[in-house]
Amino acid sequence: MFSGAQISLYPMTDDFVGVILGAIGALDPYRSNFRIETDDLSTLIVGPPEQLFPAMRDLFLAASRRGVHCVLAATVSRGCPGEPDDPICTPIAGSSDDRPLESRIAAAVRHVETAPRTGQVVAAQFSLYPLGSGHHMDEIYGCIDFLKRSGVFDRSKNFCTKLCGDAGPVFATLSEAFLRFGAPQGHVALDLKVSANSPSKA
Amino acid sequence: MFSGAQISLYPMTDDFVGVILGAIGALDPYRSNFRIETDDLSTLIVGPPEQLFPAMRDLFLAASRRGVHCVLAATVSRGCPGEPDDPICTPIAGSSDDRPLESRIAAAVRHVETAPRTGQVVAAQFSLYPLGSGHHMDEIYGCIDFLKRSGVFDRSKNFCTKLCGDAGPVFATLSEAFLRFGAPQGHVALDLKVSANSPSKA
């Protein structure tokens, strides 16, 4: 199964280049597990599905540390039938999960409860797309049920769900949504924006 | 059918608030056709599907005019079964299209050819998600065929397609991809980033 993300960092400052270059080092601990490519629009990371959100969290925390208003936008995908299988994407801890919806929801809630706190409050909104299945709305509603029990649920919006809280549990919640909903070997995409230090409240 | 978009503008400047507030007026000609709501993460526009991309184009051009590096990110959706039908979303010119794939591709190419030029070069990348259908990859491959004939195709990337060119045909291409691929009354989502004035080439 192929898994990865196209990630963009948007620091709302004249020194956006400096903020981005200063944050990139946060990906160093992940480099041995990822293939990484950058162009003018985004950085591609391809690697184990359960490391994608921890890597994005660390990158975003590094960019937000100076207090500048920053947004991370990402298109995250697993199981796309248009991509070749890649051994680099093998789940490290067997993250694929084919238990019934209720068991997956309970396991996801437990994972979020144990996520380390970071001290950085963020707001996030995302959409989950389980593709190619006739039951995509069942998986979406199951995921929304989990989100409401995650402790970082803010509200449902049109086309997406908004989370708010410490970056640790917020990124853990996003990771659980991505890993545990939609068929285990199916095609799942996730469209994400995370914001820190916004002048219009986080 | 419900249709709309969650739109965010990211101007990479200390004066990001000024750039955003200065650009918002570009939505005025669309206000009578749209419901518009803003929070700290995005602005929701709900309205006729064929006006969503022209509105985003005009907003983005207004923000980019000062030469600042700007990104517009949007989650665009039509036909979501979780949203109530809304008369404000009625297509103005009957944009739903149930012809065979080849006819839809040809019609989309013709529409892009007649799109007005704006003088602003942009780079864009997007993913199209036709949901709840067993044939979602057929529609995606058909859409990619159209994109390659659009005149603004740059390249295929992992998880998305990159376009480059004048904002007029680029936004027209995005609109055609959104309106004509996936089932006419089906659930289609589109995840978009558009960039202007990037120091790392457009």
Side-chain angles (χ1 to χ4, degrees):
Chain A
M1 188 172 77
F2 196 85
S3 59
Q6 293 283 2
I7 307 172
S8 305
L9 260 183
Y10 306 123
M12 260 55 83
T13 168
D14 293 348
D15 186 30
F16 63 95
V17 174
V19 172
I20 293 171
L21 295 180
I24 285 286
L27 291 180
D28 287 346
Y30 301 93
R31 281 188 191 274
S32 59
N33 290 331
F34 282 148
R35 177 159 64 85
I36 302 183
E37 294 166 14
T38 297
D39 70 9
D40 56 310
L41 285 177
S42 60
T43 290
L44 170 72
I45 58 174
V46 173
E50 73 272 48
Q51 291 213 321
L52 298 172
F53 287 88
M56 287 190 268
R57 176 197 62 205
D58 293 352
L59 177 69
F60 188 62
L61 286 172
S64 308
R65 198 172 292 138
R66 283 166 46 180
V68 161
H69 176 30
C70 264
V71 168
L72 177 143
T75 300
V76 197
S77 171
R78 63 174 171 88
C80 176
E83 308 277 2
D85 236 10
D86 193 324
I88 204 176
C89 301
T90 306
I92 290 176
S95 63
S96 81
D97 194 335
D98 57 3
R99 286 175 289 176
L101 204 45
E102 190 49 47
S103 311
R104 285 182 276 146
I105 292 170
V109 169
R110 284 194 303 275
H111 274 233
V112 172
E113 282 169 356
T114 61
R117 266 52 184 173
T118 67
Q120 173 73 55
V121 171
V122 301
Q125 71 186 29
F126 77 105
S127 310
L128 183 77
Y129 304 118
L131 290 145
S133 144
H135 303 289
H136 77 291
M137 292 307 290
D138 293 344
E139 291 292 321
I140 289 175
Y141 290 132
C143 183
I144 290 171
D145 185 14
F146 152 60
L147 297 172
K148 289 185 174 167
R149 293 156 61 181
S150 68
V152 292
F153 180 80
D154 184 271
R155 65 190 181 93
S156 294
K157 296 176 60 168
N158 291 104
F159 319 132
C160 59
T161 299
K162 186 176 174 188
L163 309 178
C164 194
D166 185 282
V170 167
F171 276 91
T173 297
L174 294 164
S175 188
E176 293 298 313
F178 177 69
L179 294 173
R180 292 187 197 271
F181 299 90
Q185 300 303 319
H187 184 189
V188 173
L190 190 151
D191 165 14
L192 169 66
K193 281 97 192 172
V194 189
S195 167
N197 310 319
S198 167
S200 350
K201 99 161 178 62
Chain B
M1 189 172 76
F2 196 86
S3 59
Q6 292 282 3
I7 308 173
S8 305
L9 260 183
Y10 306 123
M12 259 57 81
T13 169
D14 292 349
D15 185 30
F16 63 95
V17 174
V19 172
I20 293 171
L21 295 179
I24 285 287
L27 291 179
D28 286 347
Y30 301 93
R31 282 188 190 276
S32 59
N33 290 331
F34 282 147
R35 176 159 66 84
I36 302 183
E37 294 166 13
T38 296
D39 70 10
D40 56 312
L41 286 177
S42 59
T43 290
L44 171 72
I45 58 174
V46 173
E50 73 272 48
Q51 291 211 321
L52 298 172
F53 287 88
M56 288 191 268
R57 176 197 61 206
D58 293 353
L59 177 68
F60 188 61
L61 287 172
S64 309
R65 198 172 296 138
R66 283 166 47 180
V68 160
H69 176 30
C70 264
V71 168
L72 177 142
T75 300
V76 197
S77 171
R78 63 175 172 86
C80 177
E83 309 277 1
D85 235 11
D86 193 324
I88 203 176
C89 301
T90 306
I92 290 176
S95 63
S96 83
D97 193 334
D98 57 4
R99 287 175 290 176
L101 204 44
E102 189 50 47
S103 311
R104 285 183 275 145
I105 292 171
V109 169
R110 283 194 304 276
H111 275 233
V112 172
E113 282 169 356
T114 60
R117 267 53 184 173
T118 67
Q120 173 74 54
V121 172
V122 300
Q125 71 187 29
F126 77 106
S127 311
L128 183 77
Y129 304 118
L131 290 145
S133 143
H135 304 289
H136 76 292
M137 292 306 291
D138 293 345
E139 290 292 321
I140 288 175
Y141 290 133
C143 183
I144 290 172
D145 185 15
F146 152 60
L147 296 172
K148 289 186 174 168
R149 293 158 57 180
S150 68
V152 293
F153 179 80
D154 184 273
R155 66 190 181 93
S156 294
K157 295 176 62 169
N158 291 105
F159 320 131
C160 58
T161 299
K162 186 175 174 190
L163 309 178
C164 193
D166 186 281
V170 167
F171 276 91
T173 297
L174 294 164
S175 188
E176 293 297 313
F178 176 69
L179 295 172
R180 290 187 199 270
F181 299 90
Q185 299 303 318
H187 184 189
V188 173
L190 189 151
D191 165 12
L192 169 67
K193 281 98 194 170
V194 189
S195 168
N197 310 319
S198 167
S200 352
K201 92 159 180 67

